[in-house]
Amino acid sequence: SVLTDGGGSFTPLRRSSRSTNRPRVTIDASSPPMVNTLACVSECDLTFLHVFPYSARPGTSAAHFPELVMAEDKAARSRTLIDLGRSHAEAFRKGLVGTTRTVLWETRRSGPDISGWSGLTDNYVRVVTTSEGELRNTVTPAQLMNNTEDGLLRARVASMAVEGEGT
């Protein structure tokens, strides 16, 4: 598959070799110009960006680039992309509020103000619940309710008789 920015530049879409089958998009923030990169991220509504600047060190591809981007510009471009990705991810999570998703519960969370579980939805969104029951390595439907202060979604375990069912 191929993705275009509308101006004739093409970026290959690669499928992950893992079973998740999620597309990976490689975008160069220096060429085409950064504005095209931002437009591509916005148009595709990408919600997870792994942003890193190339380093022009011996043995790297960047060492052979004809035009190098100044360190300050690389840092600014990276921050801009990271902020855009975070904004898209937050909007995506907000759009899930009120829906029911399948969740794989992974880790018990505990602390002074925390008790419950953390898990991943079927579309890889981190959620938390306050269920006191044993959920490790179980898959349940969960109603997604609202964002926590740290950006996670609260979930209510649905259709399962779990002691202290989450809110």
Side-chain angles (χ1 to χ4, degrees):
S1 297
V2 178
L3 181 86
T4 180
D5 67 5
S9 296
F10 296 94
T11 303
L13 274 179
R14 294 183 301 224
R15 292 277 176 199
S16 170
S17 60
R18 292 184 241 153
S19 63
T20 59
N21 203 28
R22 296 184 297 175
R24 307 282 194 242
V25 180
T26 303
I27 302 173
D28 182 354
S30 58
S31 177
M34 181 67 169
V35 68
N36 290 344
T37 299
L38 295 173
C40 180
V41 170
S42 291
E43 184 178 325
C44 294
D45 201 17
L46 301 177
T47 59
F48 178 80
L49 304 179
H50 177 83
V51 177
F52 61 94
Y54 283 102
S55 299
R57 296 186 313 262
T60 65
S61 297
H64 305 288
F65 290 170
E67 296 179 28
L68 297 178
V69 177
M70 300 298 295
E72 302 81 32
D73 291 337
K74 285 193 283 188
R77 290 175 183 188
S78 292
R79 277 191 307 276
T80 299
L81 281 168
I82 289 168
D83 289 346
L84 182 59
R86 285 182 179 153
S87 172
H88 282 245
E90 181 180 344
F92 182 71
R93 285 191 305 270
K94 284 182 179 178
L96 292 174
V97 171
T99 66
T100 299
R101 304 296 302 202
T102 301
V103 176
L104 167 63
W105 298 104
E106 300 173 309
T107 308
R108 184 178 290 278
R109 296 167 40 107
S110 61
D113 299 323
I114 302 171
S115 177
W117 291 89
S118 173
L120 284 175
T121 65
D122 57 345
N123 57 350
Y124 305 98
V125 174
R126 179 69 54 191
V127 297
V128 294
T129 190
T130 56
S131 176
E132 296 297 328
E134 179 61 42
L135 295 177
R136 184 181 317 280
N137 292 326
T138 62
V139 176
T140 69
Q143 181 183 12
L144 307 183
M145 301 185 329
N146 61 350
N147 286 308
T148 65
E149 290 178 13
D150 54 1
L152 301 174
L153 273 172
R154 292 185 206 280
R156 179 187 324 256
V157 177
S159 304
M160 190 173 163
V162 176
E163 179 184 331
E165 189 169 295
T167 57

